[in-house]
Amino acid sequence: MLAGDIRSDDNWPSGRALVQAATYNERENIAALIARVLAVSPELQLLIIDDDSPDGTGEMALQESRTNPRLHVLIRRGRRGLGSAILEGFLVAKQRGFEIAVNMDGDFSHDPLDIPRLLAAMDPVGGRPADVVLGSRRVPGGSVVGWPLSRHLASWLVCWFTRFVLCVPVRDASSGFRAVRVAVFDRVTGPFSQGYAFQEDLLWRIHRVGGRLVEVPVTFTDRKLGHSKADFAESKRSISELLRIAVTTWFGAKK
Ligand SMILES: Nc1nc2c(ncn2[C@@H]2O[C@H](COP(=O)(O)OP(=O)(O)OP(=O)(O)O)[C@@H](O)[C@H]2O)c(=O)[nH]1
Ligand SMILES: [Mg+2]
């Protein structure tokens, strides 16, 4: 949190899992997102990390949080990037004593009803606990609905690169739908990618310290409302960050 940022409240109920969504111009989605995530279970709390959306998404969430003790909002002054927002959410979850943070997009590409499955896979009965559970489109049972061919190709390329060049043993490293055991941030340090490449970067760092990554199938549905924020400049930035990580993977140079 920087000077000028706005935080909704200080009295958080205690809990095990915090769901978080980074938002930028999601006014068509935000109210329904809040309602549907919090309806999944009375045990869940939700943190919205908004980068001062010009369309008022942050204020709408802030307003809602005044009457809802399970909803928390951080409005950051200035657009600081998706990766930086997600990282801040994870660190808030850790500071507030949550054990697990579940990150999801704010555009309903991720179905809130899948959250309990992600949480269950974190600590399977009789199995090994995970550090990250990915909601994966690329394991049997997972799928994508509504993407044009170009999106499939770009996504496949990034996932292939992360798996075979960055040597991260998952099929859907780009998935933003993921449960993370926040204690992992005691072992993993940055500097992290600030933009979309944060998703692959974080998995790469967790894998390098021996963290356990698990995938469960989900259906990803392309957004119906609002617009994608993944523009050409962001794609260029992500590609250059992934290439830098590749250099570190293979040649050990400092990132
Ligand atoms: N706080 C914050 N959130 C962001 C930023 N950029 C994107 N987001 C949010 O991150 C999530 C993912 O962004 P999207 O624009 O949906 O990206 P995408 O899923 O690759 O693109 P689509 O499939 O077209 O929706 C959404 O909830 C966005 O509102 C940012 O700079 N700051
Ligand atoms: Mg999206």
Side-chain angles (χ1 to χ4, degrees):
M1 195 162 167
L2 299 180
D5 291 357
I6 297 172
R7 201 170 50 184
S8 58
D9 58 338
D10 243 341
N11 301 325
W12 294 38
S14 60
R16 175 169 180 258
L18 177 69
V19 181
Q20 60 179 56
T23 56
Y24 192 77
N25 286 349
E26 299 288 357
R27 72 172 289 128
E28 299 93 335
N29 292 307
I30 190 71
L33 184 81
I34 293 168
R36 283 184 45 196
V37 168
L38 293 178
V40 169
S41 159
E43 305 286 307
L44 292 178
Q45 296 181 55
L46 172 64
L47 171 64
I48 300 294
I49 310 121
D50 187 79
D51 275 3
D52 210 4
S53 298
D55 75 351
T57 302
E59 275 74 25
M60 289 170 75
L62 201 57
Q63 186 67 30
E64 188 67 33
S65 72
R66 299 209 167 96
T67 54
N68 195 333
R70 291 195 287 135
L71 173 65
H72 316 287
V73 182
L74 174 60
I75 302 181
R76 312 191 311 169
R77 291 292 164 215
R79 191 166 179 196
R80 295 187 215 149
L82 175 60
S84 133
I86 295 172
L87 177 64
E88 184 146 8
F90 285 143
L91 297 180
V92 168
K94 186 162 179 288
Q95 268 166 17
R96 295 274 172 186
F98 290 90
E99 188 187 328
I100 296 167
V102 179
N103 187 76
M104 65 192 300
D105 287 353
D107 60 358
F108 283 111
S109 286
H110 304 140
D111 185 345
L113 292 175
D114 287 331
I115 294 170
R117 260 188 326 113
L118 298 194
L119 290 173
M122 278 309 256
D123 293 287
V125 182
R128 282 171 60 202
D131 291 295
V132 178
V133 174
L134 288 175
S136 177
R137 301 160 284 195
R138 300 183 182 280
V139 291
S143 62
V144 173
V145 175
W147 267 0
L149 185 62
S150 57
R151 284 296 301 269
H152 278 287
L153 276 175
S155 165
W156 179 85
L157 206 65
V158 171
C159 289
W160 182 90
F161 187 89
T162 308
R163 190 165 175 213
F164 294 110
V165 180
L166 306 186
C167 304
V168 181
V170 295
R171 289 172 185 270
D172 193 2
S174 300
S175 173
F177 197 14
R178 47 177 67 180
V180 175
R181 197 175 299 279
V182 292
V184 84
F185 288 97
D186 292 334
R187 291 188 282 148
V188 169
T189 52
F192 293 92
S193 306
Q194 302 286 295
Y196 279 57
F198 173 82
Q199 307 288 21
E200 295 84 12
D201 186 0
L202 179 64
L203 297 182
W204 178 79
R205 288 172 197 275
I206 292 176
H207 175 60
R208 276 167 71 101
V209 298
R212 185 167 150 76
L213 313 175
V214 169
E215 293 180 88
V216 300
V218 296
T219 297
F220 173 104
T221 310
D222 197 18
R223 63 161 74 239
K224 297 202 169 63
L225 299 171
H227 301 285
S228 175
K229 319 298 165 343
D231 55 14
F232 183 64
E234 183 56 54
S235 306
K236 253 178 40 188
R237 170 157 84 149
S238 293
I239 290 168
S240 87
E241 290 183 341
L242 292 176
L243 290 174
R244 283 222 309 274
I245 299 172
V247 170
T248 311
T249 305
W250 289 92
F251 304 106
K254 270 242 173 306
K255 201 185 151 235

